[in-house]
Structure formats: C-alpha cells, structure tokens
Amino acid sequence: MASIRLAVPDAANVGEVIEIKALIRHPMESGHRRGARGEVIERDIITRFECRYLDELVFAADFHPGIAANPLLTFYVRASNSGTLDFTWTDQHGTAWSETSALTVT
Amino acid sequence: MKRFAGATLIALIPACSAPPAAENATEIAAEDIVSGSIFLTAETRDLQEDNFANPGYLWVDRGEALFSKAPASGEACITCHEAGLSGVAATYPAYDEKAGRVLNLEGRINQCRVTHQSEPAWEYESEELLSVTAFVANQSLGAPVSVDVSGPAQDIYEAGRDYFQTRRGQFNLSCQQCHTENWGKRLRGDTLSQGHGNGFPAYRLEWESLGSLHRRLRDCDLGVRAEPLPYGDPLYVAVELFLAARSNGLEMESPAVRR
Amino acid sequence: MTHNTRLDLNRRDLLALGTGTVLIAASPLSSHAEQADLDQARRELFGMRPVTEGRVTIKLPPIAENGYSVPLSVEVDSPMTKEDFVKRVAILSPRNPLPLISQFYFSPGSGRAKVDARIRMSGTQSIQAIAEMNDGSLWSGSRETVVTLAACVVL
C-alpha cells in the first residue's frame, strides 16, 4: 500500500508562488544492494513524478537509484486560477499512485 | 574492569581514530540521562522534528488507518479505544494481569488482536504491527517514560539488567560497556548514545525504513558478532523493560529518526 | 540493470545497506575514472554544449552522518517568466554507482526554480547541478559533502 503525504495550501492569491511538499512511501530499491545471501536485490524504483496544475504539467522529476527511499520533494507552483493540482508517481513497472488537491485562488 | 572496557573498544576497531578517553561510570546519573537524538546532526534532528517530512509518519498514518478499520471477525481498535491511547506507550513494557507476563507495546497490541478481535496476532516487524505500534507510540510523543518495575515486573527487570551487563559475541562486549561506560564517544563515524528506547519504533536512515526496538537490539547484538535473539523474544522484552526503567523521565520521541 | 550495474558494483565503492550485512568500506579509486563517468553522463544529457559556472546554488550539509538520505536543495537564479525560465536541472554525482541522480523539470508555472529532495551519496564527494534555460544556455553549480559511514563494526 502506498502511503502519500502532501502539504499543499488550499488557498492563495493570484500570482503567489506556493510551496508544495510531497512524500511517498517507497523503498527505492537501488539494484546495488545485496541480500543476506549475497544476491543482488533487483532494482525497484519510482522513476517519475509529475505535478499538473489546471491540467498543465508545471513540475516533474525523473528519479534514479540515487534518490533516497521514501522520496520527499519540495517544489513551487505559481497560483493563477482556482482549480486542481494533480500529483502522480509512476514506478519502473508503470504502476502509478495519484493524489489531487483543490486550490482556491483569489 | 572499567579500563579493560575501553581497551577492548580500541582493540576491536584498529582502524578507528580517537580512542575513547576515560570511561564513564557504571551508571548514568539521573541528571545526565539524554536522548539519542542529541547525538544526531542538526539535519537529522530537524527531519525528526518535522512532523510532515519525518518518514516515520508514513507508518503512523498507516497505523491510524488500521486502527480505525474493523478486521474481518471483530471490532476496530477505535471502537473500544475511542478516547485514544494518549500517554499509554510511555508506560510500556508493563506487567499484564490477564496475560500473566510483562508485555511490550507490540505484545499488548497483539493481545487485543487475539482476545478482543479474535484475529491472529500480527507477526513481529510486519507492516501492520509496526504501523499500529508507531501510531500508538506517537500518541505519547513528549510524555515522560514511566514504567513500573515493582511487583511481578521485578524479576523481568533484573533479567533485562543481566542481559545488559553481560559481555557477549566475538567482541566480548556488553551493552553496558558501550552505552553506559562509553556514551558520547566516537565509534568510527558514529557517536555512542546511552542506548535508550524512547524513540522506537524509529526510522533509521540505514534501514531506510521504520523498525522496532527489537530490530535495533538485534543490530547491536550482531554488531558484536553475537547471535541475536528472535523478534519478540521475552528476553528482549526484559531488556526493553530495563532500558525503559533506566530512562524513566525521558521524553518519548517515536517516530524518532536515527542514523 | 544487469551488465552495467554489475560492472559498476565491482568498480565503485557502494553504499552499504541493509541489516546485518557487511559495510563495504571506501576503496581508493582514481578520481579520473570517477570524473570521466560524470562527464559522460553530462555529454549524454547536454551534448558538447558549453556550461558556464553560476546561477545555480546547491545546498547540502557539510557533513552527512551517512549517505542514505542527504538533504539536497537546488535553486537556479531565474525570473521564471514565459520569456525567461529554467527548463530542467540535472543532479550529477562523481562517485555514486550511477552518476545521474535525478532530473527536475520546471516551467513558467513553477514560479520559482527551486527544489528540495533527499539523495543517496556513496561517500564524500562534490555533487554537481547543471541547469538548462529556455534559451538553451547551460549553467552549473556544485557542493561538497563529507559523508561519514560507520564502517568498523556493523551496527
């Protein structure tokens, strides 16, 4: 089960730059570790994060094994109109986890 | 004896710099008791104190969801514990009349699973048990550790103290030597803390996960090349009780962040 | 993941992870080989285009107590308007098993070209960030962090 934590304001003034924090539970197994019997543990990572605001891609990230487990991102979005912010994490197998939050802009 | 402890530490870490100076006393004075978090860098402590970014809260959230959800055969935890369990974790391990033995928080939760929910006990260190334990422990954040070692808990406390003071493993070191006699000193990249359990379940950066106190104890036993006890072993519960009594008054920190 | 990773495993010192497994100490590698990997990753991302030092500020703690999760903050000096904005920032390591750690993509809608993340670091090294602007120009910044790993006793 993916656990997601989001810190997003629900209101902002037009033109204001808001800070967003997004945390997801994921081992980000690097593929460089060895298990108890010396076997290489297969890579299993989230490879992509996207934030859409009013259906437009405003911020994205490509992850590689150098990103720590349970990835945490802090980034910014400029508020323009009221609407939704969509957050999606996708792993290397194509499995995706999403969250949405509503922003009121005045 | 005390001098020998330091000598052993140096001997087992030939490549390590800065040999420990004079050892501390065999007991930590009450006013010197400090949490493991003071030996962290500011960045790690900040992460612990950030109740959004601290990754341990991913487990606390999951635990909260499980706490509110009815299992197949019984009622949800929250149905019987509507008022929450604030301050409860700070009193564990504790002697349980019905069970007739000392239970740690994990054991107490599983007791409810079995007797009040008619569900099988959760496996130690399972996702579920860790999450619910973290959720319950977090409700004691900031509360002073206050375990009771009188009455039927006395023997268990003493068994825990004996384990703490006994040398073991290829390195022939006791918990006492590292955490009571040499705390504050460097062991290569690490600084030895006093070995308190007030932060557990804790998110350890090296585990890249939340883990129970027993997982930490297993790592310490493995560290001196001793055979670790199984998860949930009554002797580890006894050690847990001794550790808690030794740290009575210290603030609870779960989910703490550790190296 | 298979072939290249295996090569990397042999060549580089690794982050030692997991419980009860033996920590692998840093091996003295020629800094040329390491820099060459970073340079190659950089060429794959940006070709042979010139990179100017500046406009990119990286924050990392001077000392990280281990390399499993090191707080990184990158900010690029830009007005972030439709006419003038940062398109992407690549984070590169000269010492990790894979030099490319992450790429972050911005837009005028970002408002601010700043991102914080937590990264893995296989030992002491200087992390580099290269920013690409919408006019195609490339800018860079770097920051060194000393990574302490408990490597004597597995604890």
Side-chain angles (χ1 to χ4, degrees):
Chain A
M1 180 182 130
S3 277
I4 290 170
R5 304 196 109 210
L6 279 176
V8 198
D10 43 27
N13 299 319
V14 179
E16 189 183 336
V17 175
I18 58 169
E19 183 187 79
I20 295 175
K21 291 185 184 193
L23 174 63
I24 187 167
R25 169 100 190 264
H26 196 283
M28 292 297 286
E29 192 60 63
S30 66
H32 300 131
R33 290 207 303 164
R34 286 173 187 277
R37 272 157 272 105
E39 76 286 5
V40 174
I41 303 172
E42 263 193 61
R43 179 170 302 168
D44 176 14
I45 63 167
I46 288 174
T47 49
R48 179 83 174 167
F49 168 79
E50 293 187 346
C51 169
R52 281 167 205 279
Y53 174 40
L54 303 165
D55 290 330
E56 220 171 287
L57 190 66
V58 283
F59 174 82
D62 288 341
F63 289 169
H64 298 276
I67 290 290
N70 305 306
L72 167 68
L73 284 174
T74 307
F75 58 95
Y76 300 83
V77 170
R78 194 196 309 270
S80 54
N81 288 297
S82 294
T84 57
L85 284 152
D86 296 294
F87 307 90
T88 307
W89 290 259
T90 310
D91 74 6
Q92 67 191 73
H93 313 290
T95 308
W97 301 272
S98 298
E99 276 290 341
T100 298
S101 107
L103 182 69
T104 307
V105 180
T106 49
Chain B
M1 173 73 169
K2 269 170 62 190
R3 175 165 314 152
F4 190 62
T8 314
L9 270 178
I10 303 165
L12 80 94
I13 10 169
C16 295
S17 49
E23 291 78 38
N24 307 321
T26 49
E27 240 175 79
I28 306 172
E31 67 271 19
D32 292 336
I33 299 270
V34 287
S35 168
S37 54
I38 76 151
F39 303 99
L40 304 171
T41 60
E43 288 79 20
T44 309
R45 218 173 317 132
D46 287 350
L47 184 62
Q48 170 170 323
E49 277 157 22
D50 182 337
N51 62 11
F52 174 80
N54 176 343
Y57 281 98
L58 290 165
W59 279 259
V60 173
D61 287 353
R62 175 91 206 274
E64 183 170 15
L66 286 166
F67 195 83
S68 318
K69 192 172 161 247
S73 49
E75 286 173 297
C77 317
I78 200 166
T79 314
C80 301
H81 297 294
E82 240 182 320
L85 291 161
S86 165
V88 166
T91 65
Y92 277 76
Y95 181 78
D96 185 271
E97 291 280 344
K98 283 188 198 154
R101 60 195 166 97
V102 169
L103 296 177
N104 63 1
L105 194 56
E106 285 88 344
R108 175 62 254 188
I109 290 166
N110 264 335
Q111 180 89 345
C112 273
R113 281 274 294 171
V114 175
T115 63
H116 294 305
Q117 294 185 314
S118 313
E119 288 285 327
W122 277 315
E123 209 178 297
Y124 218 95
E125 217 63 11
S126 66
E127 181 62 37
E128 289 83 4
L129 188 55
L130 263 181
S131 301
V132 174
T133 306
F135 172 64
V136 176
N138 184 239
Q139 291 179 50
S140 291
L141 186 68
V145 175
S146 44
V147 293
D148 180 3
V149 294
S150 62
Q154 178 78 35
D155 288 351
I156 308 302
Y157 167 83
E158 279 164 17
R161 189 190 54 202
D162 289 349
Y163 193 90
F164 194 84
Q165 293 174 345
T166 305
R167 290 158 169 267
R168 63 175 49 78
Q170 276 174 41
F171 293 154
N172 197 30
L173 284 168
S174 67
C175 320
Q176 165 95 6
Q177 286 173 292
C178 279
H179 291 300
T180 301
E181 292 166 19
N182 284 289
W183 66 269
K185 300 187 183 131
R186 307 279 297 170
L187 190 63
R188 186 63 179 233
D190 236 335
T191 304
L192 285 167
S193 76
Q194 297 174 349
H196 300 303
N198 60 318
F200 288 80
Y203 187 88
R204 215 182 144 197
L205 299 177
E206 192 182 311
W207 294 335
E208 303 191 300
S209 168
L210 196 80
S212 67
L213 180 58
H214 289 195
R215 183 169 179 189
R216 175 68 252 186
L217 300 186
R218 285 170 58 88
D219 279 7
C220 281
D221 274 342
L222 278 166
V224 295
R225 305 280 189 273
E227 184 65 39
L229 299 176
Y231 282 107
D233 193 280
L235 196 43
Y236 269 168
V237 175
V239 174
E240 206 178 330
L241 179 64
F242 170 75
L243 291 180
R246 182 172 166 266
S247 69
N248 264 341
L250 205 58
E251 284 185 13
M252 297 280 286
E253 288 178 14
S254 183
V257 177
R258 295 292 186 261
R259 285 182 285 264
Chain C
M1 102 135 228
T2 48
H3 192 63
N4 284 333
T5 312
R6 281 186 172 281
L7 276 178
D8 282 333
L9 274 173
N10 296 334
R11 238 181 48 244
R12 294 169 172 278
D13 53 317
L14 302 172
L15 271 185
L17 305 150
T19 50
T21 47
V22 177
L23 295 169
I24 302 158
S27 53
L29 295 165
S30 110
S31 61
H32 281 298
E34 301 172 349
Q35 191 57 43
D37 291 331
L38 190 152
D39 291 344
Q40 190 191 326
R42 188 162 141 169
R43 270 196 304 279
E44 282 167 16
L45 293 167
F46 302 109
M48 302 296 282
R49 289 147 60 193
V51 180
T52 314
E53 230 173 271
R55 290 181 70 176
V56 181
T57 307
I58 303 188
K59 279 192 191 147
L60 277 169
I63 297 176
E65 40 198 356
N66 69 33
Y68 296 95
S69 176
V70 184
L72 164 84
S73 178
V74 187
E75 179 151 25
V76 186
D77 180 18
S78 161
M80 297 304 278
T81 58
K82 281 203 172 62
E83 296 73 37
D84 184 357
F85 64 95
V86 180
K87 276 170 67 181
R88 60 168 167 161
V89 175
I91 311 298
L92 296 163
S93 151
R95 211 174 159 184
N96 282 10
L98 294 171
L100 181 58
I101 292 178
S102 185
Q103 286 201 84
F104 300 108
Y105 303 87
F106 301 92
S107 67
S110 305
R112 187 174 180 192
K114 176 173 192 275
V115 63
D116 294 4
R118 301 188 73 93
I119 64 170
R120 293 177 170 141
M121 290 177 72
S122 307
T124 298
Q125 56 180 303
S126 180
I127 294 291
Q128 197 177 72
I130 301 178
E132 181 179 30
M133 309 297 171
N134 64 317
D135 66 4
S137 64
L138 300 173
W139 300 82
S140 76
S142 63
R143 172 76 77 192
E144 187 174 73
T145 291
V146 174
V147 177
T148 25
L149 278 175
C152 284
V153 187
V154 184
L155 287 165

